[in-house]
Amino acid sequence: MTIRVYSDGQVRAPGDATVPVFDRGFLFGDSVYETVGTNRGKPIFLADHMDRLARSAERLFLRLPDRDFIERAVAATLAAVDNAESRIRIIVTRGDGPVDLDPASAGEPRLVVIVQPLGGPSPEMYEKGVQVEIVSVARNSPQALDPAIKSGNYLNNVLAIGEARRRRPTAHEAILCAAHGSVAEGASSNLFAVVGGEIRTPSLQVGILDGVTRGKVVALARGDHMPLREVDFMSPDELRQANEVFLTSSVRNILPVVQVDGITVGDGKPGPMTKRLMALYRQLVEAET
Ligand code: PDD
């Protein structure tokens, strides 16, 4: 199990990788990033993550190194580890500058790639499901800092996880609602609920990250003729009373939820639609990698 970091043009041991204190990612969270999982050592849906990195950077007027350059850095870092499966974090900051908010004062963008053991949920968590808490911290408003931008500013999400864990130390994930009250997404995941036989997930209009896994799951469900609707409003009670709930993210893939705010979901076990989608998603990942 190894961790390697690409920084300053080289793949290094974690202790040898540094970022200057005047880096704007450090000073202001002025950066974009992606987390990519591997299957059989190969990045899963890397092209989708690179597309989203570009979209995030564009929204922040942040210049990215060439896509080829980033992909070569990812490949070189991944080649330097011997993990069963890895978690790849691609970070691009706006670079160094004076302690001055003006983005025009920044130098060259800085690329850092961290590759570490995947560290995803345990087999038991997939089998038995996890607990989540709906928190009072609202998801950032799209008019303030659009959750569609995957930036290095994750304080909204850090506050949410903190609240969930203070309330229930065993909570796996915090669920944030948008300011208008609709359930939005997890602190680092998207969310699906099965209500009356229909799979529902908050629409992008609610103000969420356009999750790569979420997009694949929506397409898989539709391709399999499972009823699925992206909804512009999902109440917290709808989630608490759902028959099935699951989370999606690149590190988790599809992870069943069996308790929301201490209330048992369905019969307390991962439900049939969740399990069907887990199987379909596994097949898709195998085919893609
Ligand atoms: N998080 N919503 C938020 C706020 C996220 O941070 C993430 C991903 C997702 C799921 O997106 P995807 O399916 O593309 O991974 C949704 C990653 C895992 C992270 O924070 O490292």
Side-chain angles (χ1 to χ4, degrees):
M1 298 288 243
T2 40
I3 304 178
R4 285 291 175 267
V5 181
Y6 173 96
S7 69
D8 279 331
Q10 271 186 43
V11 178
R12 304 167 193 273
D16 300 332
T18 57
V19 171
V21 291
F22 288 99
D23 183 278
R24 293 176 61 97
F26 172 69
L27 290 174
F28 309 124
D30 192 1
S31 62
V32 290
Y33 85 97
E34 284 295 323
T35 298
V36 188
T38 67
N39 185 51
R40 299 177 194 276
K42 295 202 190 101
I44 306 170
F45 307 130
L46 181 61
D48 298 88
H49 287 280
M50 293 301 296
D51 289 347
R52 188 172 61 193
L53 188 73
R55 291 200 302 275
S56 296
E58 201 178 328
R59 294 282 306 275
L60 297 178
F61 305 95
L62 190 155
R63 203 156 38 88
L64 283 185
D66 285 347
R67 185 168 172 139
D68 274 5
F69 182 82
I70 300 176
E71 289 186 1
R72 279 201 303 276
V74 168
T77 319
L78 198 53
V81 301
D82 61 359
N83 306 326
E85 298 298 353
S86 296
R87 169 193 301 234
I88 306 161
R89 190 177 175 100
I90 306 167
I91 305 156
V92 180
T93 79
R94 208 185 295 271
D96 303 347
V99 184
D100 165 10
L101 291 180
D102 185 0
S105 67
E108 290 299 303
R110 168 169 286 110
L111 171 66
V112 174
V113 180
I114 303 171
V115 177
Q116 56 189 330
L118 182 69
S122 65
E124 193 190 3
M125 288 160 79
Y126 286 108
E127 217 175 281
K128 296 197 173 149
V130 298
Q131 305 172 332
V132 301
E133 290 286 313
I134 304 174
V135 295
S136 68
V137 176
R139 189 72 178 106
N140 284 331
S141 146
Q143 284 74 38
L145 179 57
D146 193 342
I149 303 169
K150 199 161 171 61
S151 82
N153 185 327
Y154 253 54
L155 268 186
N156 184 211
N157 319 52
V158 168
L159 285 175
I161 273 286
E163 181 182 336
R165 297 269 163 82
R166 279 193 302 277
R167 206 188 300 155
R168 190 179 303 277
T170 51
H172 170 75
E173 177 66 307
I175 305 302
L176 295 99
C177 297
H180 65 277
S182 174
V183 167
E185 63 181 334
S188 64
S189 58
N190 291 113
L191 179 92
F192 291 74
V194 178
V195 179
E198 181 183 64
I199 307 164
R200 296 183 188 169
T201 191
S203 72
L204 300 182
Q205 277 81 274
V206 171
I208 60 169
L209 184 73
D210 184 0
V212 170
T213 321
R214 174 188 180 280
K216 303 292 177 192
V217 167
V218 166
L220 278 175
R222 292 202 168 127
D224 199 49
H225 307 294
M226 294 168 90
L228 180 142
R229 201 152 54 92
E230 295 178 76
V231 294
D232 294 337
F233 194 91
M234 180 188 286
S235 76
D237 274 342
E238 196 175 329
L239 184 65
R240 291 187 193 103
Q241 288 152 21
N243 305 111
E244 301 182 32
V245 176
F246 61 88
L247 304 172
T248 64
S249 80
S250 298
V251 166
R252 300 175 181 88
N253 299 323
I254 298 177
L255 183 64
V257 171
V258 290
Q259 220 185 74
V260 178
D261 288 349
I263 298 164
T264 301
V265 175
D267 63 0
K269 294 191 198 123
M273 290 175 113
T274 307
K275 284 192 186 155
R276 168 94 189 127
L277 284 167
M278 286 169 83
L280 289 174
Y281 192 77
R282 179 107 303 272
Q283 281 169 23
L284 178 69
V285 167
E286 286 294 333
E288 288 287 319
T289 50

